[in-house]
Amino acid sequence: MDVNNNQQSTVREKADAALKAGQAGHNKRQLVIWILALAIGAGLGWMGNSALNELFNFIAQVYTRLFQFIAVPTISLAVITTLAALGAQKNTGKIFGHAVTYTLLTTFAAALIAMGLYIWIAPGNLPASVIGAGASAVPQDLEQMTYYDHFLSVIPNNILAPFLSGNVLSVLIISAATGLALAFMKKTENREVLLKGIYGLQEVLFALIRALLWALPVGIMAYAAQLSSQIQAGVIIGALGKYVAVVLGGNFIQIFITIPLFLLARGLNPLKVFRQMSPALAVALFTKSSAGTLPVTLASAEENMKVNHSVSRFVLPICTTINMNGCAAFILTTSLFLMQNAGFHLSIGTMLVWVVIAVISAIGNAGVPMGCYFLTLSLMSSIGAPLGLMGVILPIYTIIDMIETAENVWSDSAVCAMTNHDLKDVLENDDRHVSGDAASVNA
């Protein structure tokens, strides 16, 4: 009997080793294909062929719409199913606590780095004529919007409206409430039928996500061509010099130094995590939406990084909504720049206060394209800062938004990896119970 068990164990070990080797080979081939698609797209976009550019713009819009189509229901179902399974268990609080702690630490680090760079690089004031010329580019209907209005718009008063408008924070509130209700309600037959349907819908979504990932090289080529043609046409320009250096410098320090240091401190290999999450980072860079990238982030975390589903499907949707490292740095830098041009005295104390404001504002921001820009505009309109500067920033915000979104998703990935690493033993002990509950629902 022992001999048979030993043989079965050996067979399982060999099978696992073969699967891991195959997965590693598949990931390498996939990465090579993405890099080729990126290079080919950039080359074709730089040619300046109008017919090709129109085709690539169409393909890029199709992919963006498909990711947006899947993103909102993915967030909703992931939160509902996770809370329904874990809501009544002690590990839910631990997962949430770790996710929020790492989110606050990384977001405050991003804002403080931006503040340090701002003091060191010291951007100067722009001429009044430049600010005045930029005023016409500011979206006029948003000038009167306050942060109070932004917060109030998050509270849902209609169950369908947040899903139709893509209001991620409202969707998260509705989904969390539904998931917790399912967790604490009596285990009736109706509850089991409802959960079984929700799990079925989630399986359909993940099948669609896998299909999108299979065809992702076409999307990457289109996004790269679109960006390349914009650069070639002079749409993206670096006219603000030192201000841009502060924003991008802060982003790059956070991406390549700060977040890797957090991972190393928890005993994780940053290069390995970066490679495993590269599909999500590539999509984030081009779509400029961390919420739209969530389906790919989830798939990369579970299939490449092998994160426990209890962690990935709970942490990543929450982090997509509240973990905005790049946004905090942008809000702080841009607010300081606008206030300086308005003649405000920027003492260290004032800057530190705005670090806190930037972090809180970033946490309340939705993970959608240009979300940070509109939120900063709302904040600055309430203190009388020169909003014409926002119009000057607008032409270069495309490249800033791309890098910020990739930074946000990279931070989400790191928070997920660190939470999974910290709670690995606890979750493995609890996995049988959770799997048993899910199996009874699907039976």
Side-chain angles (χ1 to χ4, degrees):
M1 193 70 178
D2 290 338
V3 174
N4 288 336
N5 287 336
N6 289 335
Q7 287 177 339
Q8 288 176 359
S9 298
T10 304
V11 169
R12 278 198 299 270
E13 288 173 4
K14 289 182 178 179
D16 290 341
L19 286 171
K20 287 179 181 177
Q23 181 69 26
H26 172 71
N27 290 340
K28 287 178 182 177
R29 288 194 300 272
Q30 202 175 47
L31 186 59
V32 170
I33 291 171
W34 286 332
I35 292 172
L36 285 174
L38 185 66
I40 292 169
L44 292 174
W46 194 262
M47 288 169 56
N49 186 301
S50 58
L52 268 179
N53 288 343
E54 286 180 13
L55 174 63
F56 285 131
N57 285 339
F58 173 76
I59 295 172
Q61 288 180 29
V62 167
Y63 269 82
T64 300
R65 291 173 72 91
L66 288 174
F67 282 123
Q68 290 171 339
F69 165 73
I70 292 179
V72 173
T74 299
I75 292 171
S76 180
L77 293 179
V79 172
I80 289 172
T81 54
T82 303
L83 286 178
L86 299 177
Q89 298 173 24
K90 59 182 180 180
N91 289 340
T92 306
K94 291 180 180 179
I95 294 171
F96 182 76
H98 278 71
V100 170
T101 300
Y102 286 132
T103 290
L104 289 173
L105 287 174
T106 55
T107 308
F108 267 108
L112 288 169
I113 287 168
M115 174 184 157
L117 282 177
Y118 192 90
I119 294 171
W120 180 48
I121 296 176
N125 291 346
L126 291 181
S129 58
V130 173
I131 298 173
S136 61
V138 178
Q140 299 300 315
D141 58 333
L142 290 172
E143 284 191 26
Q144 303 306 317
M145 182 179 175
T146 64
Y147 194 65
Y148 168 81
D149 296 325
H150 172 76
F151 179 79
L152 195 61
S153 69
V154 169
I155 309 302
N157 63 351
N158 184 309
I159 195 168
L160 292 178
F163 290 88
L164 296 175
S165 63
N167 189 326
V168 179
L169 282 171
S170 296
V171 168
L172 192 67
I173 291 171
I174 293 170
S175 303
T178 304
L180 289 172
L182 286 167
F184 291 102
M185 69 186 289
K186 292 181 180 179
K187 290 180 171 57
T188 62
E189 184 180 347
N190 290 337
R191 176 186 180 274
E192 302 305 311
V193 170
L194 180 58
L195 271 175
K196 188 173 181 179
I198 292 172
Y199 277 111
L201 285 173
Q202 194 173 46
E203 289 176 13
V204 170
L205 277 178
F206 274 89
L208 292 173
I209 290 168
R210 284 191 291 271
L212 270 179
L213 286 176
W214 178 80
L216 187 59
V218 178
I220 288 176
M221 185 168 66
Y223 286 127
Q226 187 183 50
L227 177 62
S228 180
S229 65
Q230 288 176 335
I231 295 173
Q232 196 268 342
V235 174
I236 301 170
I237 55 175
L240 300 179
K242 290 185 176 181
Y243 162 80
V244 176
V246 173
V247 175
L248 296 186
N251 288 338
F252 289 135
I253 289 172
Q254 186 75 1
I255 291 170
F256 296 112
I257 298 176
T258 308
I259 293 176
L261 285 175
F262 271 101
L263 289 167
L264 284 170
R266 303 309 306 145
L268 294 164
N269 184 336
L271 292 176
K272 185 178 180 181
V273 175
F274 191 93
R275 185 172 65 250
Q276 290 166 335
M277 298 304 299
S278 58
L281 301 180
V283 173
L285 186 70
F286 294 116
T287 61
K288 295 172 284 188
S289 170
S290 51
T293 307
L294 180 62
V296 186
T297 312
L298 277 168
S300 300
E302 293 177 5
E303 295 177 13
N304 298 344
M305 203 157 53
K306 306 301 180 186
V307 171
N308 189 300
H309 290 193
S310 300
V311 173
S312 60
R313 298 185 188 187
F314 184 66
V315 171
L316 288 174
I318 290 173
C319 280
T320 294
T321 312
I322 68 171
N323 189 31
M324 298 284 178
N325 291 187
C327 190
F330 176 81
I331 291 173
L332 178 70
T333 304
T334 307
S335 298
L336 294 179
F337 191 49
L338 264 68
M339 287 190 292
Q340 175 185 301
N341 276 269
F344 286 73
H345 174 62
L346 297 179
S347 64
I348 297 296
T350 301
M351 289 184 177
L352 288 172
V353 168
W354 274 91
V355 165
V356 176
I357 293 172
V359 169
I360 294 172
S361 301
I363 288 173
N365 180 49
V368 296
M370 294 193 70
C372 297
Y373 181 89
F374 293 135
L375 186 51
T376 307
L377 181 60
S378 301
L379 285 170
M380 291 296 98
S381 67
S382 63
I383 65 169
L387 296 182
L389 257 178
M390 296 301 291
V392 178
I393 292 167
L394 189 57
I396 59 170
Y397 186 71
T398 299
I399 191 69
I400 293 173
D401 201 13
M402 290 174 66
I403 296 169
E404 279 179 355
T405 307
E407 177 186 343
N408 291 338
V409 172
W410 174 221
S411 181
D412 295 346
S413 305
V415 170
C416 182
M418 290 187 292
T419 302
N420 185 71
H421 178 268
D422 291 353
L423 301 177
K424 188 175 181 180
D425 294 336
V426 176
L427 292 169
E428 282 179 354
N429 292 333
D430 194 52
D431 248 3
R432 288 184 180 180
H433 177 68
V434 174
S435 299
D437 285 351
S440 66
V441 169
N442 288 304

